[in-house]
Amino acid sequence: HRLHPGDAALVGHRLHRLVAGRPGHRHIGDQDGVPGVGHARLGLVDDDAIQQLLSDDNNPVNDTTLLFAFGLILIALGFKVGAVPFQVWLPDVYQGAPTPITSYLSIASKSAAFIIFLRILGAFLADASTAETILWIIAIISGATMLFVNFIAITQTNIKRPLAYASIAHAGVSLMRLA
């Protein structure tokens, strides 16, 4: 996963510490950390047009293509919110970042990703033939996120790592609300 360069600078600003320097340099990425999020923010992705296209009876997009497109978006936003199996970067970043920056990343970054997820999910649920499959996929990822990370959090020794896993578990709860 790649952080927004500004977030990465906040995470890795203490370069004299090996642990703090690694997360900041490891996760520098494109404009918003999720490919295409900058386009959505600029209005270049028209979710109303997507919804209109998918709800049309003469829809030229078949179900397999639609599910593949949703899968790619789910992977990108799964990294941003820290859903299983895309959560592996979060504990490292939480451990290496100063506590105020950790708080900022856990709130602002995930909130933005869930807002984008809600907008895009509405468009994909317009196609009745794949809506149930999409909701099942989200429910399975949500359940795995809540279950898996709680078992891993038990074995952690650094105080920030269980907080990261708690944040990941909360992402699972939020995903369940979407499903």
Side-chain angles (χ1 to χ4, degrees):
H1 177 71
R2 306 286 184 224
L3 290 177
H4 181 278
D7 294 344
L10 292 172
V11 169
H13 85 282
R14 296 186 296 178
L15 295 178
H16 64 278
R17 288 185 53 210
L18 178 63
V19 174
R22 188 182 84 205
H25 292 291
R26 185 172 151 202
H27 302 290
I28 293 176
D30 68 320
Q31 181 178 352
D32 283 322
V34 177
V37 171
H39 294 95
R41 189 183 70 219
L42 294 173
L44 300 175
V45 176
D46 188 1
D47 56 333
D48 292 331
I50 295 170
Q51 185 172 5
Q52 184 178 11
L53 174 72
L54 296 177
S55 63
D56 186 11
D57 289 336
N58 298 323
N59 181 0
V61 179
N62 63 24
D63 292 349
T64 306
T65 306
L66 181 64
L67 289 173
F68 181 73
F70 178 76
L72 293 176
I73 292 170
L74 183 65
I75 289 169
L77 293 174
F79 272 108
K80 197 69 170 170
V81 300
V84 167
F86 316 110
Q87 86 291 352
V88 294
W89 65 277
L90 265 170
D92 291 337
V93 171
Y94 277 41
Q95 181 180 352
T99 304
I101 305 306
T102 302
S103 301
Y104 166 77
L105 291 173
S106 69
I107 295 169
S109 179
K110 286 187 183 205
S111 298
F114 273 111
I115 290 169
I116 292 167
F117 202 106
L118 281 172
R119 287 192 63 178
I120 292 175
L121 183 64
F124 277 95
L125 292 179
D127 186 17
S129 64
T130 58
E132 185 176 352
T133 304
I134 288 172
L135 292 176
W136 270 106
I137 291 169
I138 293 172
I140 290 168
I141 289 175
S142 171
T145 300
M146 291 185 287
L147 184 66
F148 177 72
V149 299
N150 284 308
F151 285 120
I152 293 197
I154 295 171
T155 65
Q156 302 303 310
T157 56
N158 182 299
I159 189 65
K160 285 188 178 180
R161 291 183 79 83
L163 293 175
Y165 286 112
S167 175
I168 296 167
H170 289 135
V173 171
S174 298
L175 281 173
M176 188 59 77
R177 291 181 193 142
L178 296 177

